């Protein structure tokens, strides 16, 4: 998929671009940056992880309930209810817009969207899980990215239950001195919850690139907390994994091996 993105740039005649990816798209953006660093002006990674076991969400009662309901969802209405709780913070969903809550408004939009496109197929879901699970950024690839000379922003919602914040911080650390960590009050779709703050972070990145700010200067910015709760840190806080999480990792190594041997889904062209 990274090569597909590169081929699209070639087709459009874009020699360089500011690359921005969200979630799995951020994983693809990392690969694109590793295979063609000379084609990037800057790199922004939103709600990203390093793939593999890092794609496994935080295990608690809420996540187990969501996973159970997700697997049982057979209708757009059932899937929409799960997606809302997965994508947004409860605080955001309960905000009122006029006489309705955001939950009510978004629920109707989600049901409409899922109904128009249809429920995700099993092979589509398996393909997506396989792509995320087998994604991996080697030390050599990360070294290629961080030494390429372009600036990087790692933007993340601190209440993301899909892509955990600790993994994004760890990736930002490994991309120093080129990376800046931007932590926002939001969940997996933090760009919907905090559009102004995400846009400001992206514009800061682009402006700094145009001003030829050096990576060391970009990441040397002191920690700053904005009025809206955004935490911007040039030097990401060191993150350590709790030892009891090792049991979970070991338990899912078998699942990882199963996913690795999945056969790629063949997509046939449909003649119109």
């Amino acid at each position: 998929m990274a090569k597909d993105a590169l081929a699209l740039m070639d087709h459009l005649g874009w020699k360089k671009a500011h690359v921005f990816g969200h979630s799995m798209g951020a994983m693809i953006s990392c690969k694109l940056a590793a295979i063609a660093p000379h084609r990037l002006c800057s790199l922004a990674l939103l709600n990203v992880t390093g793939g593999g076991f890092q794609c496994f969400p935080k295990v608690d009662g809420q996540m187990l309930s969501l996973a159970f309901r997700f697997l049982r969802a057979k209708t757009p209405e059932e899937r929409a209810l799960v997606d809302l709780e997965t994508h947004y913070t409860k605080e955001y969903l309960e905000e009122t817009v006029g006489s309705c809550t955001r939950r009510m408004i978004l629920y109707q939009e989600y049901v409409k969207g899922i109904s128009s496109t249809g429920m995700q197929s099993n092979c589509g879901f398996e393909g997506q899980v396989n792509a995320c699970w087998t994604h991996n950024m080697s030390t050599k690839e990360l070294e290629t990215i961080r030494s390429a000379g372009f600036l990087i922003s790692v933007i993340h919602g601190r209440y993301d239950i899909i892509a955990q914040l600790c993994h994004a911080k760890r990736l930002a650390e490994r991309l120093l001195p080129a990376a800046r960590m931007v932590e926002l009050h939001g969940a997996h779709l933090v760009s919907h919850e905090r559009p102004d703050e995400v846009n400001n972070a992206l514009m800061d990145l682009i402006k700094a690139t145009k001003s030829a700010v050096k990576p060391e200067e970009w990441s040397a910015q002191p920690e700053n907390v904005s009025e809206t709760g955004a935490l911007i840190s040039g030097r990401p806080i060191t993150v350590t994994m709790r030892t009891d999480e090792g049991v979970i990792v070991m338990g899912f190594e078998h699942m990882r091996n199963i996913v690795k041997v999945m056969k790629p889904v063949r997509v046939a062209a449909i003649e119109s």
Side-chain angles (χ1 to χ4, degrees), residues 48-58 154 156 162-174 181 239 241 245 249:
V48 68
T49 72
F53 76 88
Q54 293 186 16
C55 293
F56 194 73
K58 180 181 179 181
V154 180
H156 212 92
I162 298 177
Q164 295 186 64
L165 176 63
C166 60
H167 300 312
K169 286 184 174 181
R170 186 176 293 111
L171 179 61
E173 282 186 329
R174 297 184 69 186
M181 185 74 209
V239 181
M241 180 176 284
E245 290 181 359
V249 174

Side-chain angles (χ1 to χ4, degrees), residues 18 41-42 150-151 204-213 218:
H18 295 279
C41 297
S42 67
F150 54 76
L151 306 181
D204 287 345
L205 177 63
I206 293 173
K207 290 177 181 177
T209 299
K210 291 182 177 180
S211 299
V213 173
W218 175 249

Side-chain angles (χ1 to χ4, degrees), residues 14 99 125 152 160 192 198 228 237-238 244 249 256 265:
W14 293 0
S99 58
F125 174 70
I152 305 167
D160 189 342
H192 291 203
V198 171
T228 53
I237 303 170
T238 300
D244 56 354
V249 174
R256 179 175 187 175
V265 178

Side-chain angles (χ1 to χ4, degrees), residues 28-43:
I28 297 169
S29 298
C30 275
K31 281 294 181 182
L32 173 60
I35 64 177
H38 59 287
R39 302 292 296 274
L40 272 68
C41 297
S42 67
L43 176 64

